[in-house]
C-alpha cells in the first residue's frame, strides 16, 4: 500500500529563530491525484513547498518521494528524481521564443548546460519534442513568439511546458492562477486537469473556485500546522475550516 502514495512527509518542521513556519506536518499525496494545499496568508504553504523541493532544509521531520528518503538531498537531485516545481512568478526567458524556452529546458533535462553558442544542428535536435510540449499546453501557435509578447496566461502555460520538459512524475504548482483574469484561469485550470491524467499534481492555490473544481483532496494549513484534510465538500462543512479560512473572506 506504500506505493499508493508518491509523496509523504512525517513531522515536517521548519523553525526560524524560534518561529515555527511549519510544525509537525504529516502529508500524504496519492499517485494520480490533484492535491491542493490551502490556507490563509502566513499558513506555511510556500514554506512547505520550499521544504519539499529542498530550497529549504527542514529543522525536523522526514520527506519520502516514491518511498525514498529525500530529506537530505539537494534541489537538483530531487528534480532529477521527477519531483519538479513551478513558481508563483513566471520564470521564462522573456526574449526567447516559446520554442526556444522549452528547448532550453530540454537541454537541461538531458544533462546539457544552457549552450546557446552551440551549432544550430545540435540545438535543433530538441525542436520536435519542444513542439510536442507546446502542443500539450495549447501553445502551438505561439511557437515563434517571444515570451515577452505573449499574454500573461499563455506565459504561465509556457512555464508549465518548461516544467514538463524536465520529465516530471509529480508537479508542484505554486499559485498557478496568480494574477490571471477569468478567461486565463479557465484555460490554465483546463490544462491542469488534462495534465492530471499523466502526472500527480500538488498545488498551492488561493482561488477556491479552482480548488473546488480541480482537487481530489485538499489539505488546509493554518499557522504552520494541518488543520483539516478531505474533499472540498467535506471541508465546507468543517466549522474549524470555516472559521480559519473559508469563512474569512479569502478567495
Amino acid at each position: 500500500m506504500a506505493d499508493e502514495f508518491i509523496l509523504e512527509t512525517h513531522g515536517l518542521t521548519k523553525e526560524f529563530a524560534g518561529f515555527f513556519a511549519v510544525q509537525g506536518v504529516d502529508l500524504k499525496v496519492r499517485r494520480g491525484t490533484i492535491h491542493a494545499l490551502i490556507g490563509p496568508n502566513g499558513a506555511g504553504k510556500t514554506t512547505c513547498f520550499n521544504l519539499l523541493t529542498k530550497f529549504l532544509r527542514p529543522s525536523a521531520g522526514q520527506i519520502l518521494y516514491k518511498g525514498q528518503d529525500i530529506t537530505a538531498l539537494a534541489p537538483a537531485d530531487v528534480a532529477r528524481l521527477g519531483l519538479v516545481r513551478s513558481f508563483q512568478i513566471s520564470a521564462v526567458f522573456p526574449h526567447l521564443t516559446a520554442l526556444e524556452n522549452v528547448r532550453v529546458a530540454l537541454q537541461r533535462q538531458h544533462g546539457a548546460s544552457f549552450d546557446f553558442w552551440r551549432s544550430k544542428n545540435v540545438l535543433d535536435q530538441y525542436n520536435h519534442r519542444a513542439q510536442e510540449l507546446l502542443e500539450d499546453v495549447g501553445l502551438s501557435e505561439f511557437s515563434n513568439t517571444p515570451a515577452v509578447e505573449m499574454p500573461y496566461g499563455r506565459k504561465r502555460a509556457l512555464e508549465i511546458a518548461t516544467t514538463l520538459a524536465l520529465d516530471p512524475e509529480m508537479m508542484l504548482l505554486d499559485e498557478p492562477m496568480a494574477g490571471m483574469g477569468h478567461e486565463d484561469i479557465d484555460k490554465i485550470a483546463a490544462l491542469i486537469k488534462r495534465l492530471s491524467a499523466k502526472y500527480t499534481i500538488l498545488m498551492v492555490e488561493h482561488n477556491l473556485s479552482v480548488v473546488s473544481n480541480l482537487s481530489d483532496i485538499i489539505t488546509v494549513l493554518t499557522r504552520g500546522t494541518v488543520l483539516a484534510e478531505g474533499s472540498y465538500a467535506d471541508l465546507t462543512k468543517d466549522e474549524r475550516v470555516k472559521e480559519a479560512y473559508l469563512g474569512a473572506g479569502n478567495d
Side-chain angles (χ1 to χ4, degrees), residues 113-173:
S113 61
F114 298 148
D115 296 335
F116 300 104
W117 57 87
R118 299 178 75 186
S119 73
K120 185 175 183 298
N121 287 340
V122 171
L123 296 178
D124 282 349
Q125 68 177 302
Y126 301 109
N127 283 352
H128 179 69
R129 180 59 181 149
Q131 291 282 15
E132 287 181 335
L133 289 169
L134 288 175
E135 185 174 348
D136 285 348
V137 300
L139 291 181
S140 294
E141 66 184 281
F142 292 96
S143 176
N144 296 314
T145 303
V148 71
E149 297 177 12
M150 295 169 64
Y152 181 73
R154 301 295 83 197
K155 287 180 187 175
R156 297 312 298 266
L158 177 57
E159 181 188 307
I160 290 174
T162 62
T163 304
L164 295 176
L166 300 176
D167 197 23
E169 192 169 340
M170 179 174 178
M171 300 175 65
L172 280 69
L173 305 180

Side-chain angles (χ1 to χ4, degrees), residues 182-202:
H182 290 299
E183 182 178 349
D184 283 336
I185 286 174
D186 290 343
K187 287 179 180 177
I188 298 299
L191 170 58
I192 291 171
K193 188 66 175 178
R194 290 201 310 273
L195 293 175
S196 68
K198 294 182 180 179
Y199 309 96
T200 303
I201 296 172
L202 176 64

